[in-house]
Amino acid sequence: MAKVVFSFDDKSAKKLKNKKNILGGKGANLGEMGRLGLPVPPGFTITTDVCDLFYKNKKKLPKSVIKNIEAELKNIEKKTKKKFGDLKNPLLVSVRSGARISMPGMMDTILNLGLNDKTVESLKKKTSNGRFAKDSYRRFIQMYSNVVLGVEGHLFEELIDNYKLTKGVLLDTDLDESDWDGLITNFKDLVKKEKKINFPQDVKEQLLGAVNAVFLSWDSQRAKTYRKLNQIPDHWGTAVNVQAMVFGNMGNDCSTGVAFTRNPSTGDNSFFGEFLINAQGEDVVAGTRTPQYITKKAKQESGSKDPSMEEAMPKVYKELAKVFVKLENHYKDMQDIEFTVENNKLWMLQTRSGKRTAKAAIKIAVDMVKEKLISKKEAIKRIDPNTLDTLLHPTLDDKVKKEIIASGLPASPGAASGKVVFTADEAEKLNGMMQDTILVRLETSPEDIHGMHAAKGILTARGGMTSHAAVVARGMGRPCVSGSSEITIDYELKQFKAGEVIIKEGDVITIDGGSGKVMKGLVPTVQPEISGYFSTIMKWADEFRKLKVRTNAETETDSKTAREFGAEGIGLCRTEHMFFDEERILSVRQMILSKSKEDRDSALDKLLPYQKEDFKKIFKVMSGLPVTVRLLDPPLHEFLPKAEKDIEEVARSLNLSAKEVKDRISELHEENPMLGHRGCRLGISFPEIYEMQCRAIFEAIVELKKEKVKSAFVEIMIPLVSTETELKILRKLVNKIGKEIEDQNKTKLDYMVGTMIELPRAALQAKSISKHADFFSFGTNDLTQTTLGISRDDSGKFLNDYIDNKIFDEDPFVSIDQSGVGELVEMASSRGRKTNKKIKLGICGEHGGDPKSIEFCSRVGLNYVSCSPFRVPVARLAAAQAELSK
């Protein structure tokens, strides 16, 4: 059997390929820090392979692995000159998870393992510090009982809070040795009451229980949710790290902290972090105490009165600052570091590439290129395209009066408004009902992950800038205000108080994660300003990518927005969206309900000027760039009136009775409109509709020419084609109208005619269809529906079950189904090119803005992708990454 337990200083670990895959990120980095000569407490890693063995072995550790663990424990004993379970000089260890990709707070950690009723007295004697020993033991009972035995964590916190109330103190640090003695007894009684067992005193039983619990936490609901949201495969598993304890809670020359080598919110090149004197690591991230700043500068900027680490522990701070520089230069990335100071000695407990906001990611990448730490290529590959969305969305309007009711820490930038909810489940429920929410919690825990994802923003009463809420919100791109001590939350009454203001569940509030402000009501927003760093990254991305990026737009405003974001044309202009305007819908309805061609033509004549004006505006904005105009696609019944008053209005305009109109509406009703009388089928049945649209397009081009305005290059797209003959007939129609306009205006029109490939038969028949097409645009929304036989509108009811059962890796409407729909795209591209070497190929479904789908399009050799305006920068970056990964 291959080696499955490695000490941090194991020389054979150096030879491992893909160290992080085997040792996990934490284990690999602890070993690496040791090799760099940094102070790392001794320990060992149980590899991810054991996680796999554990689940295959009915969730039990194999005996051979237990032997290896015991042997490695002896190595720690030698290095520390302490013994596990010893009554003179006891060794205590921490047990932590370590997946190959950081999953902050999603899996379990246990500190101070090895304490029991006897060793706690030995620790007291050895350190001459009874308060520290008892504080460490109560923490261990609390963590172990929660993580391994399954006792609810809040029950212990309630016991502590009640005890402090009785004693009349505010902080845990105000409790002395005898207080903790009393609480230890209470804790053990609670375990007995809840679990009907005595708290385990055998240290080896404790250790194996903790290792098992960490492996089990890989399969916890919160970890599964996090993996699903971040597309982390279930089969990766986690490693477990067992490490000798160092103590930040032995007194005032001890501390513990979390720090980043650069600011993870802004990207500024200055140390950023928090620490607590006389505390353990969990205190900083759990939000139970409000931490102090690492640097004097950060303390001054925040207006805090508590001394920074730079002031309180100047010597250790200087040492830590050197470590920051060393680690960043070694890993060539911003690092997220955990450390402990024990009796003024610094110990490093973790380093990893830090989670950061999109704004920070871009600034750090550009700065590191300037600092010659990384190349442009590396900078491009390092930014997650999906996170750019957070930069491109609105912020609060400064000109609007705001009713600020509270402030907290600006934990994750962006602004959001929504109804107040106090539970993750409620946030998820309202999100399902298309309602925006702000999740308000005392502090979030990993169990809240689903609600944090469902909410538009997060507000917590406790916790610092590195608390669970802050780290997870930044990773998700959700605005977050943390540690707002000005609010008092009452879960039972479902309300919170901010001064004299009471906000009940369902009331709307607005939070600004950039300033830490909480406001009553809905505050309007303004469009974002793009930074110079963002423009630099986009410029670099454009240097590397070959795939063109267009937008889906049918209004002048969307077209302008898309051009500002770097769109190279329009890949889908849906003409039907123009019909829903109030001024035109009546004419559209008259056209549909007309019984004769004459009546239909009369209604179409009224619509033509509107269509022409719309096209002129769009063609003007897209000057010189291609614009693909899709002729009318949806079934006609979508435009028909449903309300009685609208039916009567249409009846009057057509000199018909309301009953006649209702009868006509019934005639047009379809059982399955998605596969009914729509797309090119409308053009075959009612050619006059497509003729009007083509006339509007060509007249718009001619008028712009006369006005000496450079127009876009127009591509006319025929939708829902499944046969060569459909396209042949409709191409002839387009060319006929084109010729008429040319003759009337004595001018030459330059345009293309192509089709949308959205039916499997069209993909299979691409060879013959391409004879009549200048381009193919893959409409992957409908191609996914027709290939999988799944309705996009109804799939929400069962898609999660399919993903949970590993039938689909992810939602096929979000990321293209490469082995099914993708194969049809590949086949149609290849067959189309065989017949027509000059054919242009693109994609215009929602997949055009999805990085994984873009990588697929690049691989298959499409010419462009098209997506919504705000996804254009995402697509530009993803297209560059796709090219660099080839």
Side-chain angles (χ1 to χ4, degrees), residues 210-436:
V211 172
N212 281 345
V214 173
F215 281 135
L216 285 169
S217 71
W218 174 256
D219 215 25
S220 67
Q221 195 48 53
R222 64 180 190 248
K224 282 184 189 168
T225 304
Y226 188 89
R227 289 200 296 276
K228 193 168 161 186
L229 295 176
N230 293 279
Q231 284 149 23
I232 297 169
D234 288 339
H235 67 264
W236 279 5
T238 181
V240 178
N241 297 290
V242 178
Q243 188 173 26
M245 279 297 302
V246 285
F247 297 98
N249 62 327
M250 285 173 81
N252 289 335
D253 60 353
C254 304
S255 66
T256 186
V258 175
F260 295 82
T261 54
R262 302 191 186 213
N263 187 310
S265 279
T266 64
D268 289 342
N269 191 357
S270 57
F271 304 145
F272 173 95
E274 297 170 324
F275 85 118
L276 278 169
I277 288 173
N278 196 12
Q280 284 199 318
E282 287 303 298
D283 296 335
V284 180
V285 293
T288 43
R289 273 171 68 188
T290 300
Q292 292 151 247
Y293 289 92
I294 296 270
T295 64
K296 194 172 163 183
K297 183 173 171 253
K299 170 211 151 174
Q300 285 165 346
E301 283 171 0
S302 72
S304 170
K305 300 278 182 288
D306 297 323
S308 66
M309 186 179 187
E310 194 174 354
E311 295 162 306
M313 297 182 149
K315 203 173 162 193
V316 181
Y317 170 79
K318 274 184 189 162
E319 194 187 340
L320 186 62
K322 283 178 189 166
V323 169
F324 287 170
V325 174
K326 192 169 196 172
L327 286 172
E328 196 175 88
N329 285 336
H330 178 74
Y331 286 103
K332 301 190 188 310
D333 196 7
M334 183 260 275
Q335 294 298 291
D336 167 0
I337 292 157
E338 285 179 26
F339 63 89
T340 285
V341 178
E342 180 183 289
N343 307 132
N344 284 319
K345 174 162 173 51
L346 176 69
W347 292 97
M348 303 307 297
L349 303 182
Q350 171 168 290
T351 190
R352 59 189 174 193
S353 286
K355 299 271 179 204
R356 63 206 78 178
T357 62
K359 181 183 173 183
I362 285 170
K363 186 175 183 333
I364 290 167
V366 173
D367 284 348
M368 285 187 169
V369 171
K370 287 179 186 167
E371 292 159 24
K372 298 193 166 46
L373 261 182
I374 59 172
S375 66
K376 281 185 192 178
K377 284 183 182 178
E378 183 54 44
I380 292 296
K381 289 199 288 200
R382 194 169 274 187
I383 298 159
D384 176 359
N386 281 317
T387 63
L388 295 187
D389 250 358
T390 58
L391 289 182
L392 309 174
H393 287 291
T395 49
L396 294 181
D397 186 349
D398 286 337
K399 297 182 186 76
V400 174
K401 200 178 170 203
K402 305 170 189 74
E403 190 184 340
I404 295 166
I405 54 171
S407 291
L409 298 169
S412 182
S417 301
K419 291 182 174 179
V420 166
V421 292
F422 292 100
T423 66
D425 290 344
E426 187 66 13
E428 192 172 52
K429 181 181 139 195
L430 290 184
N431 185 48
M433 293 157 69
M434 311 301 283
Q435 292 185 38
D436 294 347

Side-chain angles (χ1 to χ4, degrees), residues 686-733:
F686 307 114
E688 53 273 23
I689 297 176
Y690 277 14
E691 284 173 359
M692 179 277 287
Q693 291 196 294
C694 291
R695 194 165 276 115
I697 291 166
F698 293 138
E699 284 183 7
I701 298 170
V702 169
E703 286 186 17
L704 286 173
K705 235 185 210 180
K706 285 176 181 170
E707 292 165 19
K708 296 195 166 37
V709 173
K710 191 176 181 184
S711 172
F713 177 77
V714 177
E715 303 171 347
I716 294 174
M717 181 156 71
I718 314 294
L720 213 76
V721 159
S722 64
T723 69
E724 176 189 358
T725 313
E726 286 167 323
L727 186 57
K728 197 173 169 182
I729 291 168
L730 293 170
R731 183 181 181 115
K732 198 172 164 189
L733 178 150

Side-chain angles (χ1 to χ4, degrees), residues 547 816 825 842-843 847-848 852-865 886:
L547 201 62
I816 198 164
V825 171
I843 181 176
H847 298 114
K852 281 188 187 170
S853 306
I854 290 166
E855 191 275 327
F856 165 79
C857 294
S858 175
R859 200 163 12 96
V860 172
L862 299 192
N863 301 102
Y864 69 86
V865 295
K886 279 182 183 175

Side-chain angles (χ1 to χ4, degrees), residues 655-691:
N655 291 322
L656 295 170
S657 68
K659 184 186 180 301
E660 284 175 294
V661 172
K662 284 177 185 171
D663 290 345
R664 183 85 175 106
I665 291 170
S666 295
E667 279 170 38
L668 286 167
H669 170 76
E670 292 180 307
E671 292 303 329
N672 189 353
M674 192 246 158
L675 299 176
H677 199 183
R678 57 167 283 217
C680 67
R681 297 160 194 173
L682 288 173
I684 300 289
S685 299
F686 307 114
E688 53 273 23
I689 297 176
Y690 277 14
E691 284 173 359

Side-chain angles (χ1 to χ4, degrees), residues 441-462:
R441 306 281 293 153
L442 275 170
E443 66 223 7
T444 62
S445 75
E447 274 75 22
D448 294 322
I449 180 100
H450 59 296
M452 294 173 79
H453 186 255
K456 290 287 176 231
I458 297 135
L459 168 63
T460 69
R462 293 183 192 158

